[in-house]
Amino acid sequence: QCNTNNIIGPGQGRIDDDPPFWSMKLVSYPPMNGGDNLVRNGKNAKSNQGVGAHTDSNFLTLILQDPVHSGLQVQTVDGTWIDVPPTDSNTLVCNIGELAEIWTDGYFLATPHRVLRHFSNENDGTLTCRTSLPIFYNPKLDTVMKPMVDIKDLPWDRKQQNQWRRKNNIVLGSVGENSFKSLARSHTNVFQRHHSDLRILYDGRIMKK
C-alpha cells in the first residue's frame, strides 16, 4: 500500500488511510514488418509509433515490461530519446506522473516517454507482439494535490533543462479531473459515446456543452 503525506482531500488534513484509486491494463503492441522504416530517435518516429510522447496524468506508474522486446523510450535532459531495455519479472520501471510533480512543487518532474514498435522476426517471419503491464497509482479521485511545505528548500543539483511538455496540456491538481482529461483524450470515441453532453477543450479540460 502506498501512503502519501500532505495531500489534501475534500476536507482538511492527511488522507493516508483513504483507499487509493489505481488501475491496471495489459497492452499489446504488434510488431512492424521488416520493410517498414524504423526510427529510434528524432522527430520522425510516427511510422512506428505505438504511443506518442506524453507524460502520465496520474501520480505514479509502475510498468512490468516485456522481457524480450524493447519499445519504451524516455527523454533525457538534453532532449534525446533513449531506450528502456527489456526487464525481467523482478523489475518494475517507474514513471513519475504529473500529480507527483505538483506534490513536490516541481522537485520531481513528470517523465516524458513514448512507445515505439519493434520489428518482426526477419529470420522466420514470426510476428511476436510486445506486451506491457502498467499499473497507474493515484490517491482518491476527489483528492486535490498541493505542494508539500518547504519543498523548495531541499538541495538539488539537476542541470537546467527544458522539460518536454505537450503544448496543449493543462495539469490539474484535482486527481479526478486530471485522470478524466487523460481518459477523454486517449479514448475519444468512448468519451463521445458516453459523455455526449461534454466537450474537450484545447488544453484538455472537460466542460459541459
Side-chain angles (χ1 to χ4, degrees):
Q1 180 179 357
C2 295
N3 289 329
T4 52
N5 298 322
N6 295 328
I7 299 176
I8 309 303
Q12 294 182 349
R14 291 167 50 172
I15 59 166
D16 300 70
D17 297 328
D18 287 335
F21 172 78
W22 61 271
S23 61
M24 177 173 63
K25 63 181 180 180
L26 180 63
V27 187
S28 178
Y29 299 97
M32 298 174 61
N33 295 325
D36 292 334
N37 180 28
L38 181 65
V39 181
R40 299 303 302 178
N41 195 21
K43 298 181 180 180
N44 299 319
K46 291 185 178 180
S47 62
N48 59 309
Q49 176 178 304
V51 178
H54 67 286
T55 51
D56 289 342
S57 61
N58 56 303
F59 186 86
L60 193 68
T61 304
L62 301 176
I63 308 167
L64 179 62
Q65 290 204 112
D66 192 296
V68 177
H69 302 295
S70 62
L72 178 63
Q73 290 190 326
V74 296
Q75 191 182 64
T76 64
V77 294
D78 64 0
T80 302
W81 291 97
I82 60 173
D83 293 323
V84 178
T87 51
D88 59 31
S89 59
N90 295 320
T91 304
L92 294 176
V93 176
C94 177
N95 281 340
I96 297 173
E98 294 172 355
L99 296 178
E101 181 172 329
I102 293 177
W103 186 53
T104 62
D105 200 18
Y107 188 80
F108 293 122
L109 300 176
T111 308
H113 59 285
R114 66 184 184 185
V115 179
L116 302 183
R117 293 159 56 200
H118 66 277
F119 278 121
S120 59
N121 191 321
E122 296 182 354
N123 296 324
D124 58 16
T126 57
L127 300 177
T128 304
C129 295
R130 174 185 180 269
T131 57
S132 176
L133 184 67
I135 302 172
F136 304 98
Y137 171 80
N138 266 325
K140 289 179 60 179
L141 286 177
D142 59 357
T143 301
V144 177
M145 306 297 295
K146 294 184 179 181
M148 290 185 290
V149 178
D150 298 329
I151 191 70
K152 292 183 179 179
D153 295 333
L154 294 176
W156 185 253
D157 59 358
R158 178 174 54 209
K159 296 179 181 179
Q160 185 68 28
Q161 62 175 312
N162 294 320
Q163 180 80 346
W164 181 90
R165 296 290 185 192
R166 179 173 176 171
K167 293 182 179 180
N168 58 331
N169 180 52
I170 188 172
V171 178
L172 304 168
S174 166
V175 173
E177 291 181 9
N178 214 49
S179 299
F180 196 23
K181 171 194 72 177
S182 177
L183 176 66
R185 280 180 157 176
S186 301
H187 307 280
T188 54
N189 291 336
V190 176
F191 172 77
Q192 292 171 359
R193 183 182 308 120
H194 296 282
H195 301 282
S196 58
D197 60 326
L198 303 177
R199 61 190 178 99
I200 310 174
L201 301 185
Y202 176 77
D203 59 8
R205 289 176 297 167
I206 309 299
M207 304 291 290
K208 285 187 175 294
K209 290 183 178 179

